[in-house]
Amino acid sequence: MENKWELLESSNEDREKIWTKNRTFAGDVWFRFRHKPTAIAGLVLILVLLVFAFIGPFFTHYSYSKQDLDLVNIPPRMTVYETKDHSGYLYITQSLKVVWVNKDGTLGRQLTKLRDESASSMIIFDCNGEEVALYYGIKPYLIADPATRVIYDTAKVWNHSYILGTDSLGRDILTRLMYGTRVSLLVALIAVVVNMVIGIVFGGISGYLGGMVDTVMMRIVDIISTIPLTLYVILIMVLLGAGIQSIIIAIGTTYWVDMARVVRGQVLSLKNQEFVMAARTIGSSTKTILLEHLIPNSMGSILVTVTMLIPSAIFMEAFLSYLGIGLQPPLASLGTMCNDATQNLRTCPYQLFIPALVICLIMFGFNFIGDGLRDALDPKLKK
């Protein structure tokens, strides 16, 4: 085109054409979801936690229940003492025992105790044929030569045998964290599936039939919602015994009331729409109208409610396990790990911080996903 300022030819058909990419409803939801950074961050975080919980245990060398009482409360980063020949390190445990640490940070054997010199507040250990004295006065430290009181030089090394350290029974915290995250996610997901089935059916029937049926069904929901969940779990444990099945049944049979209220509200707002009246006109049954028309059109609110219920269920499982009415030893969940860590909170705060951090990450992940789904499924927010 020689003249760059020449007007282009256009027809009425071109003016009426919408120049945008055609997308399905699911494609449009995914397009808006992936353009929300926090939603993608939450999705990636949950995927990483799922891989950590379900695939991670295959790559660890320890069991969640195996105990090693010689290596109790070993932190991830240790303050160690260098030996005379610089061939390794020595670490003092909280129980005033000395553990050999290799140069690469892996834990070795526990030194053999030779004698206890209580008059000098020292315990003598055998370290490769030489005597090493542990002074257990105000602040414990190692003495290379008991006669001259020569103190070993200290250093900081990472624990490469137990990356996250060990607990009060010498169990690997990393392995227990993997299994604990798996149990917490399974409890929440199973409970949410049960909540969806019961809540969608109950709320859909109540909202569609209305009248006296709706009144009676909603009063049942009100009665169930007033029962304290902790008391409900205790009653179930008396009947079924303590364990993961009691928590799943308790959460699954009480958390559905919120789902039922959401579905009922959606059905009440949709059942008088034109497409429902058209379905009634052609003779569709109540089951067909509910399952093929009303419930699919309510899936936006249902999915958002589900993503909000998952972190709530995980927190409730952790809280019940923390109170000691959840999983029983040696099974691990994030709640039981927090409960076990409270005994050594002052001396080993990392044992409580690590599972609490994972609980927070799960909460943030699902809340971010829920916010993203809410914005993506709301047509009013479409730009």
Side-chain angles (χ1 to χ4, degrees):
M1 186 170 57
E2 296 179 358
N3 185 6
K4 296 181 179 181
W5 299 102
E6 183 179 353
L7 294 176
L8 294 176
E9 296 182 358
S10 61
S11 62
N12 292 331
E13 182 180 355
D14 292 334
R15 295 191 189 97
E16 296 296 330
K17 188 174 181 179
I18 300 176
W19 296 95
T20 184
K21 185 178 180 180
N22 293 327
R23 299 190 190 95
T24 62
F25 175 73
D28 189 55
V29 169
W30 170 243
F31 175 79
R32 283 183 281 165
F33 182 85
R34 74 172 185 262
H35 281 78
K36 190 175 179 63
T38 55
I40 293 298
L43 181 61
V44 172
L45 181 59
I46 294 302
L47 291 177
V48 170
L49 288 173
L50 287 173
V51 172
F52 173 77
F54 290 92
I55 300 179
F58 293 102
F59 297 93
T60 182
H61 303 291
Y62 304 100
S63 170
Y64 70 92
S65 60
K66 183 180 179 181
Q67 302 178 10
D68 190 350
L69 299 181
D70 291 336
L71 303 175
V72 171
N73 294 327
I74 306 294
R77 186 169 173 82
M78 303 174 289
T79 300
V80 296
Y81 295 82
E82 295 189 22
T83 58
K84 290 181 180 179
D85 55 2
H86 302 286
S87 60
Y89 305 104
L90 299 175
Y91 174 74
I92 304 174
T93 67
Q94 293 184 2
S95 56
L96 296 181
K97 297 178 181 178
V98 182
V99 177
W100 177 270
V101 181
N102 296 315
K103 277 293 185 177
D104 59 356
T106 57
L107 300 178
R109 69 187 186 282
Q110 189 179 108
L111 300 189
T112 304
K113 178 181 176 181
L114 296 178
R115 61 185 182 276
D116 189 351
E117 297 182 358
S118 57
S120 304
S121 301
M122 291 190 302
I123 303 175
I124 309 302
F125 293 91
D126 177 26
C127 179
N128 297 329
E130 297 183 358
E131 290 188 354
V132 175
L134 169 61
Y135 176 75
Y136 54 86
I138 299 176
K139 184 178 180 180
Y141 56 85
L142 288 175
I143 302 173
D145 188 352
T148 59
R149 294 270 177 147
V150 177
I151 302 174
Y152 281 122
D153 295 330
T154 60
K156 292 279 189 178
V157 297
W158 289 100
N159 188 346
H160 287 168
S161 293
Y162 301 95
I163 297 176
L164 297 182
T166 60
D167 63 4
S168 58
L169 294 176
R171 298 172 295 192
D172 181 31
I173 291 181
L174 178 61
T175 303
R176 290 182 62 79
L177 189 68
M178 293 176 181
Y179 281 94
T181 306
R182 177 192 295 185
V183 169
S184 297
L185 288 173
L186 280 177
V187 168
L189 292 175
I190 293 174
V192 165
V193 170
V194 175
N195 291 337
M196 284 187 64
V197 174
I198 300 177
I200 290 175
V201 173
F202 196 94
I205 294 174
S206 175
Y208 184 74
L209 296 181
M212 184 58 65
V213 175
D214 180 38
T215 302
V216 173
M217 296 180 75
M218 285 299 102
R219 296 298 76 76
I220 295 175
V221 168
D222 294 338
I223 293 173
I224 294 176
S225 61
T226 57
I227 301 176
L229 183 59
T230 305
L231 176 61
Y232 193 65
V233 173
I234 294 174
L235 293 176
I236 291 178
M237 289 179 60
V238 172
L239 297 176
L240 302 179
I244 188 172
Q245 71 278 0
S246 299
I247 297 180
I248 292 176
I249 293 174
I251 296 178
T253 53
T254 55
Y255 267 45
W256 61 267
V257 294
D258 293 331
M259 179 67 70
R261 289 193 177 105
V262 170
V263 175
R264 172 182 175 270
Q266 291 294 313
V267 171
L268 285 175
S269 63
L270 293 173
K271 71 177 184 178
N272 293 323
Q273 297 290 330
E274 288 80 2
F275 67 93
V276 178
M277 295 181 180
R280 291 199 195 105
T281 302
I282 63 176
S284 299
S285 63
T286 301
K287 177 181 176 182
T288 301
I289 294 175
L290 275 174
L291 298 181
E292 297 185 9
H293 298 285
L294 293 177
I295 300 302
N297 282 278
S298 305
M299 285 306 296
S301 300
I302 291 173
L303 291 176
V304 172
T305 305
V306 166
T307 56
M308 296 302 180
L309 282 177
I310 290 177
S312 177
I314 290 175
F315 180 79
M316 181 55 63
E317 183 276 327
F319 175 69
L320 294 174
S321 298
Y322 177 80
L323 294 179
I325 57 177
L327 297 181
Q328 298 302 307
L331 294 176
S333 74
L334 298 178
T336 57
M337 292 183 67
C338 292
N339 188 15
D340 296 339
T342 54
Q343 302 174 4
N344 304 305
L345 181 58
R346 292 182 180 272
T347 56
C348 304
Y350 65 92
Q351 296 182 11
L352 177 62
F353 174 76
I354 292 173
L357 176 62
V358 175
I359 293 175
C360 293
L361 291 177
I362 294 174
M363 297 288 186
F364 280 123
F366 280 109
N367 282 327
F368 288 157
I369 292 175
D371 290 340
L373 284 176
R374 180 194 60 199
D375 296 343
L377 292 168
D378 191 351
K380 297 178 182 178
L381 299 177
K382 184 177 180 181
K383 296 180 181 180

